[in-house]
Amino acid sequence: MKERIQVFGRFLSGMIMPNIGAFIAWGLITAFFIPTGWVPNEKFGALVGPMSTYLLTLLIGFTGGKMVAGHRGGVIGAIATMGVIVGADVPMFLGAMIMGPLSGWIIKRFDKLFEGKVKAGFEMLVNNFSLGIIGAILALIALTGISPIVQILNSVMESGVDFFVSHGILPLASIFIEPAKVLFLNNAVNHGILSPMGMEQVKEVGKSIFFLLEANPGPGLGILLAYCLVGKGDAKNSAPGAIIIHFLGGIHEIYFPYILMNPTLLLAAIAGGASGIFTLNLLGGALTSPASPGSILAILPLTPIGSHVGVILGIIISTAVSFVVAVPLLKIFGKEGNLETSKEAVKDMKLASKGITSVTAPGKAADGSSEAAITKELGVIENIVFACDAGMGSSAMGATVLRKKLVAAGLGHINVVHSSVSSIPENAQIVVTHSELRERASHSNPNAKLVLIHNFLSAPEYDELVTELKNRK
């Protein structure tokens, strides 16, 4: 069951995460220009409705179809998604999450069925007309059949949320959210449930608390502060750096190993999350769009006028409660545990959540060579790509680290970017990625050299790569 939920969450995340920038753009326009915004402007505010109804929904549908059947799947996914959009009077994010992948699967099956059966010279004609005809049919089906079903599902979800809100028990959601974060089930919860409901609420009142239920950095911050005060050994020494990455960088998974070292700290995370939700609900703390990553630097710009006090106090109180609960738990139960072991556990769970199994032994590539070794001959190195599963968090950090090392070595002319391991740019000459992503990276760009690492932040392979590049120069 857990594995199925993780796969589902990973798929939902794949449709939302590449489009987070569009969500943030929409959220900023909402925060500034709606009648209750920072700078009310009727002309600019007119963008809010069409962007949520059409732009964001079509992007989700396109991305869902593309994940299944490439660009062709994305096009038919967008066509079919238009059917659910027209058939409803509310943003159809859930409908897009259904029609996008479904349409991609259908066109993929069609292409497979007719593979090798089209006469030479008629390929383009068949490809274009098949996509157009099937897309039109799916749009009509979505308009008349899928859209009403999705509206019913939305109503059920809203009723469930209304029950929590009207009974004053929304803070109890932390009982599920905080453990889910540590087990990497947060994508299914956040992008599959909370964000769509938040978008619906923004449409009605201009802001939503649902964007902060999972993104609140307070619970994790409190736990890391507790380690700074009463932690032991490596955990205590590394906690200050983890605080910066967590609170400012918004990469929450940095604190997961600290909880796994002492699972009783889940109580602190739940208490901090619940108190934060209670404060946000009481003081009207909310955001105008999803904050991704969950950094304070991303949260504050998306906070609408009149909600800053609630948001800031919600984060502070959740941090304080989490800290107060975590300190005695660390004193009583914190004598045992190993940070490196916990980090390995987090790595294994994260890989499991992404459907990846180990393909190499620690420290060696599949052929037995050093993971940092570059075995292919290249010309002048100009493009290095860092790749992780989503192409946003870990790879962005790793790219920054390597870029600084290259500049320090006088190799600042080398371009270092980050991307998803499934869509590595064709011009990549060297790809740096986690050893467990080796097969996917090789499939994504078979012509690039691979440098395999275990830790995106501090890998000895970085220095080895820089040294080799410097020697080549």
Side-chain angles (χ1 to χ4, degrees):
M1 176 61 72
K2 173 188 170 184
E3 183 178 352
R4 292 179 179 178
I5 295 175
Q6 288 175 331
V7 171
F8 177 66
R10 186 173 69 252
F11 193 78
L12 292 177
S13 176
M15 284 187 278
I16 299 294
M17 290 302 291
N19 301 309
I20 281 293
F23 278 84
I24 292 176
W26 175 81
L28 290 173
I29 291 173
T30 302
F32 276 90
F33 302 122
I34 62 173
T36 57
W38 287 101
V39 188
N41 186 299
E42 184 178 354
K43 184 175 182 178
F44 292 162
L47 286 168
V48 173
M51 286 181 74
S52 63
T53 301
Y54 298 104
L55 173 65
L56 300 179
T57 310
L58 287 172
L59 281 174
I60 293 172
F62 178 86
T63 305
K66 184 178 180 181
M67 290 171 63
V68 177
H71 187 82
R72 185 170 162 83
V75 173
I76 196 171
I79 296 172
T81 298
M82 197 65 199
V84 293
I85 292 174
V86 176
D89 55 2
V90 295
M92 280 280 101
F93 300 115
L94 183 58
M97 290 180 180
I98 295 172
M99 291 309 301
L102 176 62
S103 303
W105 180 82
I106 290 174
I107 199 66
K108 187 175 183 179
R109 297 298 299 174
F110 176 88
D111 291 344
K112 188 71 174 178
L113 182 64
F114 284 87
E115 185 178 4
K117 299 179 181 179
V118 180
K119 291 185 178 181
F122 289 86
E123 295 88 352
M124 182 177 292
L125 182 68
V126 172
N127 286 341
N128 288 338
F129 270 86
S130 62
L131 191 148
I133 293 170
I134 297 173
I137 294 173
L138 289 174
L140 295 175
I141 293 174
L143 174 63
T144 57
I146 303 299
S147 186
I149 295 175
V150 174
Q151 285 185 291
I152 294 174
L153 291 175
N154 279 337
S155 298
V156 172
M157 292 169 62
E158 290 175 3
S159 299
V161 174
D162 288 340
F163 176 82
F164 274 90
V165 174
S166 60
H167 287 76
I169 57 175
L170 188 59
L172 293 182
S174 291
I175 296 176
F176 305 100
I177 293 174
E178 297 305 326
K181 290 174 69 174
V182 178
L183 296 174
F184 294 96
L185 302 177
N186 52 317
N187 287 331
V189 175
N190 194 27
H191 299 308
I193 300 175
L194 298 179
S195 289
M197 290 193 302
M199 299 295 288
E200 296 280 357
Q201 195 173 44
V202 169
K203 187 79 172 178
E204 298 174 4
V205 299
K207 61 181 182 179
S208 177
I209 189 177
F210 297 118
F211 296 135
L212 276 170
L213 299 192
E214 187 272 337
N216 182 1
L221 178 60
I223 289 172
L224 291 174
L225 288 172
Y227 267 101
C228 289
L229 182 66
V230 297
K232 305 287 185 181
D234 291 341
K236 181 174 183 177
N237 295 333
S238 61
I243 287 176
I244 296 174
I245 295 172
H246 167 69
F247 192 62
L248 298 180
I251 301 175
H252 290 194
E253 67 187 28
I254 196 74
Y255 77 86
F256 297 170
Y258 296 85
I259 291 183
L260 291 174
M261 286 173 57
N262 186 349
T264 60
L265 292 177
L266 272 176
L267 298 175
I270 292 171
S275 61
I277 294 173
F278 177 80
T279 304
L280 292 168
N281 201 30
L282 181 66
L283 301 179
L287 301 182
T288 57
S289 76
S292 182
S295 161
I296 189 65
L297 302 179
I299 290 172
L300 292 180
L302 298 175
T303 304
I305 187 170
S307 295
H308 279 83
V309 172
V311 169
I312 293 172
L313 284 179
I315 295 174
I316 291 175
I317 290 176
S318 62
T319 300
V321 171
S322 178
F323 173 80
V324 169
V325 176
V327 167
L329 291 175
L330 274 176
K331 288 183 176 180
I332 297 172
F333 302 104
K335 295 182 179 180
E336 298 181 0
N338 182 275
L339 182 60
E340 291 304 317
T341 301
S342 299
K343 285 182 178 179
E344 287 300 313
V346 167
K347 183 192 76 172
D348 292 341
M349 284 194 295
K350 183 174 182 180
L351 293 172
S353 74
K354 298 175 180 178
I356 305 168
T357 55
S358 179
V359 297
T360 61
K364 296 291 181 182
D367 60 359
S369 61
S370 170
E371 291 175 349
I374 299 177
T375 59
K376 299 180 181 179
E377 289 300 326
L378 293 178
V380 178
I381 303 298
E382 297 179 345
N383 297 298
I384 298 177
V385 174
F386 254 88
C388 69
D389 191 63
M392 299 180 71
S394 303
S395 59
M397 286 194 302
T400 300
V401 173
L402 180 58
R403 192 179 297 114
K404 290 181 178 179
K405 289 181 177 292
L406 289 172
V407 170
L411 301 171
H413 64 281
I414 298 178
N415 184 37
V416 182
V417 299
H418 55 91
S419 78
S420 166
V421 72
S422 301
S423 56
I424 298 173
E426 293 183 1
N427 66 346
Q429 297 167 285
I430 297 175
V431 174
V432 184
T433 190
H434 197 281
S435 60
E436 304 295 354
L437 299 178
R438 181 177 186 272
E439 289 185 350
R440 292 173 62 187
S442 298
H443 178 75
S444 180
N445 190 331
N447 296 320
K449 296 180 179 180
L450 291 183
V451 175
L452 306 178
I453 62 175
H454 286 293
N455 188 320
F456 279 99
L457 267 181
S458 56
E461 291 82 4
Y462 294 161
D463 293 326
E464 295 175 16
L465 175 58
V466 170
T467 299
E468 181 166 346
L469 292 173
K470 193 172 182 178
N471 290 337
R472 287 169 61 91
K473 180 181 178 183

